[in-house]
Amino acid sequence: MTNTLISPLASIHPEAKLAEGVQVHPFAVIEANTEIGEGTIIHSGAVIHSGARIGKHCEIHPGAVIAGIPQDLKYAGEDSIAIIGDGTRVRECVTVNRGTVSRGKTVVGKNCLLMAYSHVAHDCVLGDNIIIGNATQLAGEVEIDDYAIASGGTLVHQFVRIGRHVMIQGGSRVNKDIPPYTLVGREPLCYCGINIVGLRRRGMSNDQIYCINDIYRTIYQRGLNNTEALATVEKEVGECPEREEILGFIRASSRGIIRGNMD
């Protein structure tokens, strides 16, 4: 393990698999049945439980707990894992529980940022480049797609799905699915427009942004029910990847999507 720096004050099970260049600081704990990728840093006081699969060049900060036992009364000790993708940063006191028999794994994608005191429960699936704000709490089996941001103090109900490029206002309570490209906030939570700043940062063209905006004006501002709105979008908006993604997301939603702004 050339270039690997392991403090003699860390507790590392001999069956743990540490790649080249891993750093483990004093008082970190790494159990058996764990894998830690090249160049990853495990800071003091972090706990890496059995079932953790941590990618390359990650950083696990003090007090974080990866692959803890699910907080689910149905969990019966079945083998499961928690996956942290390459380049993801896990800040202080974050908890990522491993999966249950439902999916068998909890997944956090590549280049994510999980801020301090946030929680990712059993069987959640997070895509890439996601930001989870301080003290945000994700219940079991939540799905979040790429580039979404859940600002600090957000509470997400179990089984909710959050689409790509969504921006959620801090302190929100999310109990319905949130379609892609949207900006949501207020109390109760509602659609507040499209995430135009985020879309421009991701390099979307004006034509793409105008198309997305037209779709959501039809869905949320023309007084149509969902069935009518989706049919109208298909009729009036030309085919494009964004249209198909939005229509597919809404049609696949089992919880229903967030309401529109009633002001």
Side-chain angles (χ1 to χ4, degrees):
M1 293 190 292
T2 307
N3 299 322
T4 301
L5 301 176
I6 307 297
S7 170
L9 299 178
S11 175
I12 303 175
H13 194 281
E15 295 178 7
K17 297 179 180 179
L18 276 59
E20 183 175 337
V22 169
Q23 296 182 32
V24 184
H25 291 202
F27 311 115
V29 175
I30 302 176
E31 295 182 347
N33 185 26
T34 54
E35 299 176 10
I36 300 175
E38 177 184 343
T40 286
I41 301 171
I42 309 297
H43 285 280
S44 298
V47 179
I48 313 301
H49 282 297
S50 175
R53 305 289 185 265
I54 300 175
K56 300 177 182 179
H57 306 293
C58 296
E59 190 164 6
I60 312 300
H61 283 259
V65 180
I66 308 299
I69 293 172
Q71 298 176 96
D72 183 342
L73 295 178
K74 298 186 298 297
Y75 179 71
E78 59 267 22
D79 288 338
S80 59
I81 59 176
I83 300 170
I84 306 294
D86 296 347
T88 286
R89 290 169 288 167
V90 178
R91 293 306 303 256
E92 295 81 1
C93 301
V94 168
T95 50
V96 180
N97 291 168
R98 64 179 183 257
T100 69
V101 69
S102 175
R103 283 184 175 141
K105 60 185 178 181
T106 301
V107 180
V108 177
K110 297 179 181 179
N111 301 313
C112 295
L113 171 59
L114 309 185
M115 293 187 185
Y117 295 96
S118 58
H119 173 65
V120 180
H122 65 89
D123 302 293
C124 286
V125 178
L126 278 59
D128 299 335
N129 301 290
I130 287 168
I131 298 175
I132 303 298
N134 292 300
T136 287
Q137 310 291 296
L138 308 181
E141 304 192 46
V142 166
E143 298 181 33
I144 304 181
D145 297 336
D146 297 350
Y147 289 104
I149 299 175
S151 301
T154 297
L155 304 177
V156 184
H157 195 281
Q158 61 192 24
F159 302 111
V160 158
R161 183 182 176 195
I162 297 169
R164 292 199 308 144
H165 301 283
V166 162
M167 176 71 175
I168 305 173
Q169 173 184 296
S172 296
R173 295 181 294 173
V174 183
N175 59 11
K176 296 287 187 180
D177 293 347
I178 303 178
Y181 310 115
T182 57
L183 177 68
V184 300
R186 304 191 179 183
E187 179 61 37
L189 193 69
C190 66
Y191 168 80
C192 297
I194 66 169
N195 182 17
I196 189 166
V197 174
L199 299 184
R200 285 178 172 160
R201 286 175 177 169
R202 301 279 77 79
M204 283 200 171
S205 68
N206 286 336
D207 287 344
Q208 289 174 296
I209 291 171
Y210 295 151
C211 178
I212 292 166
N213 200 38
D214 285 343
I215 291 169
Y216 282 117
R217 275 204 300 254
T218 299
I219 292 170
Y220 283 116
Q221 297 174 352
R222 291 176 59 174
L224 306 173
N225 64 37
N226 276 352
T227 301
E228 295 168 338
L230 298 185
T232 301
V233 169
E234 284 194 315
K235 180 179 179 181
E236 296 183 358
V237 179
E239 288 189 22
C240 64
E242 293 76 27
R243 188 194 81 162
E244 301 313 309
E245 182 177 359
I246 293 167
L247 294 178
F249 184 102
I250 295 173
R251 286 177 171 146
S253 174
S254 59
R255 297 188 60 82
I257 62 171
I258 58 166
R259 70 184 186 96
N261 182 1
M262 303 303 291
D263 290 348

